[in-house]
Amino acid sequence: MRLEARSGTPGQTRLIAVTGVLGDDATTDAGLFLDAVAGLTEPALVVLDLRELDLLTADGLRTLTAFVESLDRRGLRCHVVVSPGSVVDASIRAGGAVVRPLVFHDLDAAIGKDENEWLSEQFAELTGLLLAADSVDEVLRHIVTAAMVLIPAADLASITLRSPDGRFSTPARSDSIATELDEAQYRDGKGPCVEAARPDGPAYAVSEDLAGERRWPLFAKVALHHGLLSVMAIDLMPAGHPAPSGGAVNVYSRRRRGLTEHDRHMALLLSTHASLALAHTFAVEQGKAEHAHLRTAIESRDVIGQAKGILMARHGLTSDEAFDLLRRTSQHLNVKLADVAATFTERHRELEAP
């Protein structure tokens, strides 16, 4: 790995350009990073430019994560710049719990924006995606993706929905392990997402250390098996029929006490966005269903009217007599009245042939 550090603007900014392979020598790499930020004090900004990095190994990702954590402990902010869609970009977003929400694709933006500006842009983008979503599944996928981006320690995320009859499901998740964790809670009837999703449950359920968790022993055992050490679930409040009667945004972390108060605030904002988007999407879907039902009803009325007209003209029946004949035929054949009318209208000549 080759590293070039220089001071920049505005204020106390240290730009660190990294090239080559990060992870060949973890000890040396860690030392180079620490040397590059020597003398910086709070509230300095460290910008890691990884656009020319050829390879980021698993060891390199751990070194990078440890470095960013050390900056956080010193009160220093860190932004990471990567080429969009690159292998390095994917590696960081998939495995770098701390650096994931601080990833930029533009150096000027990484240097010139503070976290509040970045968060404002992220939520503005999320709002646009939610408003454009045309299905509940799409809304939930956007919320899970946003949770993985906006909550620093999120290693897994999922959505729990509770149906009116009390059944739980996980319609969206970042990984199949999240589904396994949720379903362990559904089977046992105990766990953070179950508690948060119940109408009479708490606004959120949190465990900072699942190794010592006594409230949900079965869930904690499954979570620890997968290396998850902390969790939080924030309730959803979708409204309107046929919306579910409750739900939760679930976030899992592999770090003990990894989910901070700031993370809870982010999850609460996501839950609020999700609740409003779900209410809107359910209303739109219900409107479409009612429109389709009305259209079907109108079409059925029209075809029944046509069949009645043919019977009246051919057999001299009154309107009531023609309808009664169609109704009795429908009952006798155990076929819907509209289907009987449609068949008769299309095939009345051959049906009435001698």
Side-chain angles (χ1 to χ4, degrees), residues 27-41:
T27 302
T28 300
D29 293 345
L32 290 173
F33 276 124
L34 293 176
D35 289 343
V37 295
L40 283 181
T41 58

Side-chain angles (χ1 to χ4, degrees), residues 90-210:
S91 298
I92 290 176
R93 291 179 184 277
V98 173
V99 299
R100 178 165 49 239
L102 307 173
V103 171
F104 291 81
H105 292 151
D106 180 81
L107 181 60
D108 291 337
I111 294 174
K113 293 178 182 177
D114 61 24
E115 186 175 359
N116 289 332
E117 288 180 289
W118 182 82
L119 286 173
S120 295
E121 290 182 356
Q122 294 297 315
F123 274 105
E125 180 180 353
L126 174 61
T127 299
L129 291 171
L130 294 178
L131 289 175
D134 57 7
S135 70
V136 170
D137 287 344
E138 188 176 354
V139 167
L140 298 179
R141 287 196 300 271
H142 286 320
I143 293 298
V144 167
T145 300
M148 295 297 293
V149 171
L150 292 167
I151 298 176
D155 289 302
L156 301 172
S158 66
I159 299 288
T160 290
L161 290 185
R162 181 181 184 274
S163 63
D165 64 2
R167 291 181 292 112
F168 295 97
S169 63
T170 300
R173 78 286 191 278
S174 63
D175 187 281
S176 59
I177 294 176
T179 303
E180 184 177 339
L181 294 169
D182 291 352
E183 290 181 346
Q185 299 173 67
Y186 305 158
R187 289 192 300 271
D188 191 41
K190 297 178 181 179
C193 72
V194 169
E195 290 190 5
R198 284 176 174 148
D200 59 347
Y204 64 86
V206 178
S207 179
E208 296 183 340
D209 184 3
L210 287 168

